[in-house]
Amino acid sequence: MLIINIKENESIDKALKRFKKKFEKTGVVKALRRRSAFEKPSISRRTEIIRASYKQRMYGNEES
């Protein structure tokens, strides 16, 4: 359960914005979407490999 302490003279909009930011960081919605449909392990591995190759192409060629 998330607890947001509202400061004195703070608007509800700011408190709601802080709540939404905190809620997003917990990753609840992301986990729900991931669990909504079963994904075969082979497909998840394939997507992981595709993401890794993309990152390698984008960021791997940089020389420091």
Side-chain angles (χ1 to χ4, degrees), residues 18-63:
R18 282 194 298 137
F19 173 77
K20 285 180 181 179
K21 208 177 272 188
K22 211 174 203 183
F23 184 75
E24 188 177 312
K25 282 186 181 181
T26 59
V28 173
V29 177
K30 202 179 270 189
L32 275 174
R33 287 187 180 142
R34 191 179 66 236
R35 292 179 189 162
S36 64
F38 177 75
E39 188 177 75
K40 289 171 50 177
S42 60
I43 293 174
S44 61
R45 263 186 261 118
R46 187 183 314 148
T47 55
E48 224 175 275
I49 291 170
I50 291 170
R51 283 184 184 145
S53 65
Y54 174 77
K55 284 183 181 179
Q56 187 69 30
R57 273 186 279 136
M58 293 302 289
Y59 305 114
N61 296 334
E62 295 177 5
E63 293 182 21

